[in-house]
Amino acid sequence: KNQVEQSPQSLIILEGKNCTLQCNYTVSPFSNLRWYKQDTGRGPVSLTIMTFSENTKSNGRYTATLDADTKQSSLHITASQLSDSASYICVVTPSGGSYIPTFGRGTSLIVHP
Amino acid sequence: NAGVTQTPKFRILKIGQSMTLQCTQDMNHNYMYWYRQDPGMGLKLIYYSVGAGITDKGEVPNGYNVSRSTTEDFPLRLELAAPSQTSVYFCASSYSQGGGNQPQHFGDGTRLSIL
């Protein structure tokens, strides 16, 4: 069964600090790995998309990395801002078939002033 | 652009009632999806569509029906509401199917409670 596990479940940091969120997956073979940001009461918004052949992708202060050999991805947030407080979701889509994605449960990030 | 619009935002149903969750997108995307998000869980795909007139089951389709008569609209129908269908429902659309490098654009969800 395809699984996506995210850690930590929740994280509290001070404004201006950096943090790294982890995503481990079992989906194989996979087509792409995506990171989404979901604000409370809103729908997810795409941050990065990496295909199986890419190992890093940046979007402003957000940098995602991918190690397809170990089936791990991380999302690094630099110089955090209060607006970064949200849930961050890792999503892995398989290849060669239905393309039904597997979503992680998300990491809840709180940034304090 | 409005992107993906879902209505209603909130709804309370009684067991056995039926309702339709509306979803419309103005990006001319062929691919549309319905997900449900239960508390503390990852999103689960209910149904998806690759174009007008074409729909297919996702991971958790039981108790739901969909139709796709136009590119813009992708309504989700609950026929006999059950407490297990209490959830937040998200509609999404994309330019390419999930395997591509195009993002899915999500609406802000419909919060449905069944009592």
Side-chain angles (χ1 to χ4, degrees):
Chain A
K1 180 181 178 182
N2 290 333
Q3 290 184 312
V4 174
E5 300 290 340
Q6 293 188 243
S7 62
Q9 184 174 347
S10 61
L11 182 62
I12 301 174
I13 62 174
L14 292 176
E15 187 179 13
K17 297 297 185 182
N18 303 336
C19 67
T20 300
L21 314 180
Q22 301 291 341
C23 173
N24 294 342
Y25 60 93
T26 63
V27 181
S28 183
F30 80 97
S31 178
N32 60 56
L33 186 147
R34 304 160 186 250
W35 283 94
Y36 285 89
K37 178 187 180 188
Q38 185 177 21
D39 292 321
T40 300
R42 305 297 299 274
V45 174
S46 179
L47 292 175
T48 62
I49 303 170
M50 291 180 290
T51 64
F52 66 92
S53 61
E54 297 176 293
N55 55 29
T56 188
K57 186 68 68 77
S58 291
N59 178 2
R61 294 180 297 103
Y62 301 100
T63 299
T65 62
L66 172 63
D67 186 335
D69 292 333
T70 61
K71 296 185 173 58
Q72 295 180 324
S73 177
S74 64
L75 180 68
H76 186 73
I77 304 174
T78 303
S80 61
Q81 300 176 358
L82 298 179
S83 60
D84 291 332
S85 295
S87 179
Y88 291 84
I89 302 171
C90 176
V91 187
V92 183
T93 301
S95 62
S98 63
Y99 294 109
I100 294 179
T102 299
F103 284 72
R105 298 184 180 190
T107 291
S108 176
L109 175 66
I110 298 174
V111 180
H112 280 173
Chain B
N1 284 341
V4 178
T5 303
Q6 294 184 236
T7 57
K9 294 188 184 301
F10 305 93
R11 183 73 184 269
I12 298 175
L13 281 182
K14 293 182 179 179
I15 295 172
Q17 287 186 322
S18 61
M19 77 163 293
T20 298
L21 283 66
Q22 302 291 345
C23 174
T24 187
Q25 52 93 7
D26 62 359
M27 296 172 281
N28 202 33
H29 287 163
N30 282 325
Y31 298 90
M32 296 189 74
Y33 316 83
W34 274 106
Y35 295 93
R36 60 177 288 172
Q37 185 177 37
D38 298 327
M41 303 296 290
L43 277 75
K44 299 286 187 184
L45 183 64
I46 304 172
Y47 271 97
Y48 65 98
S49 170
V50 301
I54 306 171
T55 63
D56 207 348
K57 296 178 180 179
E59 198 175 353
V60 289
N62 291 345
Y64 307 95
N65 281 300
V66 293
S67 59
R68 184 94 181 272
S69 57
T70 67
T71 298
E72 295 78 19
D73 300 309
F74 189 39
L76 178 71
R77 178 87 177 160
L78 281 71
E79 290 294 350
L80 291 171
S84 61
Q85 294 177 306
T86 294
S87 189
V88 182
Y89 291 84
F90 288 100
C91 178
S93 72
S94 65
Y95 176 76
S96 60
Q97 199 170 8
N101 62 359
Q102 297 295 317
Q104 291 188 6
H105 299 264
F106 285 81
D108 281 338
T110 293
R111 284 143 188 83
L112 179 63
S113 293
I114 299 166
L115 306 175

